[in-house]
Amino acid sequence: MNAWLRLPRSWRAYTGIATRAMQNTLAYRLSYVVNFASSFVLLIAMYALWNAIYAGREELAGMSWTQMKTYLIISFISNSLLSYYSETRISGKILDGSVSADLLKPLDFQKARLAETLGSTVIEGGLVVIITAIVLIAASGILKPDFIHTLLFILSVLASLMVKFGIVYMAGLLCFWSTGSLGIVWARMAVTSLFSGALVPLSFFPGWLEKLSLVLPFQGIVHTPAAIYLEEVSPWGALGLLALQCAWACVL
């Protein structure tokens, strides 16, 4: 309690926002569970699709089937940490007019939304970790990196959350010039899924499109954590990718 009282007042305010976001996630858990279940169904569908594509093949675009199975799980983790419920919270405030009350408060609007996202991610991320652990135990042929790459992977996943929040936040602000959010959210999801590597690994792209994707911030959401986990880069190379993620997070 003493440590809490010593925190700057603004920090206590943002921490309180994060705490309320955790409580809201637990209060409206059915909404999150439904969205999470749809993501899990998509994971199963993607597994079945790629299993059919790899039938009779050892590898595609330099990626083996074992690597692809691992890649799909990493993509699931990265996309599930910030749920659809968290994303629509930003646009919802704009569309229902409650943003006016937030802008009158002596708090930074973006930092407050980040605090909400991080608060809900504590609950949502916990469920993702549990489900992923079950999948890793039950599934066979899933790669497991060494300790250094595992640590860097965890840091990369956290950085990917910050990158995705920046993109989601910017997309949410477009609702100031729109009467609805559904089209904006779908467009954002389509662009992010393509250029992050969530839909198809970037190594499968034509050369010019892969190079373009690697200079955009989206690749920091899925491609970078996957490259680190699969040990496609050395520890020093992983640090460089992690620095690029952090740079994009700051820019966004």
Side-chain angles (χ1 to χ4, degrees):
M1 178 62 71
N2 291 333
W4 167 263
L5 294 176
R6 287 197 297 269
L7 288 173
R9 180 175 298 178
S10 61
W11 284 33
R12 296 202 300 270
Y14 292 126
T15 305
I17 292 174
T19 302
R20 286 195 296 273
M22 293 173 60
Q23 294 170 344
N24 287 335
T25 303
L26 292 173
Y28 299 98
R29 52 188 176 274
L30 179 60
S31 175
Y32 170 68
V33 169
V34 170
N35 290 320
F36 179 83
S38 64
S39 298
F40 193 70
V41 170
L42 179 60
L43 171 63
I44 297 174
M46 292 294 290
Y47 177 89
L49 174 63
W50 283 106
N51 187 35
I53 293 174
Y54 268 86
R57 297 182 176 91
E58 292 294 331
E59 64 176 41
L60 286 172
M63 181 176 289
S64 67
W65 172 231
T66 300
Q67 290 175 312
M68 178 57 74
K69 287 190 292 184
T70 308
Y71 186 94
L72 292 175
I73 294 177
I74 296 171
S75 176
F76 170 74
I77 294 173
S78 300
N79 284 321
S80 298
L81 288 179
L82 199 160
S83 67
Y84 179 81
Y85 174 73
S86 297
E87 180 169 357
T88 54
R89 187 187 292 120
I90 299 173
S91 57
K93 284 181 174 292
I94 297 173
L95 294 174
D96 65 15
S98 61
V99 64
S100 58
D102 287 289
L103 294 176
L104 291 174
K105 297 175 182 178
L107 295 174
D108 181 83
F109 183 74
Q110 185 180 30
K111 291 179 182 178
R113 304 293 74 75
L114 176 60
E116 284 181 343
T117 300
L118 294 178
S120 60
T121 298
V122 171
I123 305 299
E124 298 170 353
L127 180 58
V128 172
V129 170
I130 293 173
I131 296 298
T132 303
I134 294 174
V135 172
L136 290 176
I137 293 173
S140 59
I142 302 298
L143 299 177
K144 297 176 178 60
D146 58 36
F147 175 77
I148 297 298
H149 280 87
T150 300
L151 178 61
L152 292 172
F153 167 72
I154 294 173
L155 295 176
S156 181
V157 169
L158 296 177
S160 74
L161 174 63
M162 302 300 292
V163 172
K164 187 173 182 180
F165 167 78
I167 295 171
V168 166
Y169 178 78
M170 293 176 64
L173 293 184
L174 293 178
C175 290
F176 276 114
W177 298 274
S178 172
T179 57
S181 63
L182 190 59
I184 294 174
V185 170
W186 282 1
R188 198 281 307 163
M189 291 173 64
V191 173
T192 302
S193 296
L194 177 63
F195 289 106
S196 68
L199 188 61
V200 179
L202 300 187
S203 59
F204 284 68
F205 286 7
W208 66 270
L209 186 56
E210 181 182 3
K211 292 178 181 178
L212 173 63
S213 302
L214 290 175
V215 299
L216 295 175
F218 306 101
Q219 54 86 25
I221 299 175
V222 175
H223 172 76
T224 297
I228 294 174
Y229 188 94
L230 295 174
E231 300 185 19
E232 295 178 356
V233 292
S234 65
W236 287 110
L239 287 174
L241 293 177
L242 187 59
L244 180 60
Q245 282 182 293
C246 294
W248 270 119
C250 293
V251 169
L252 293 169

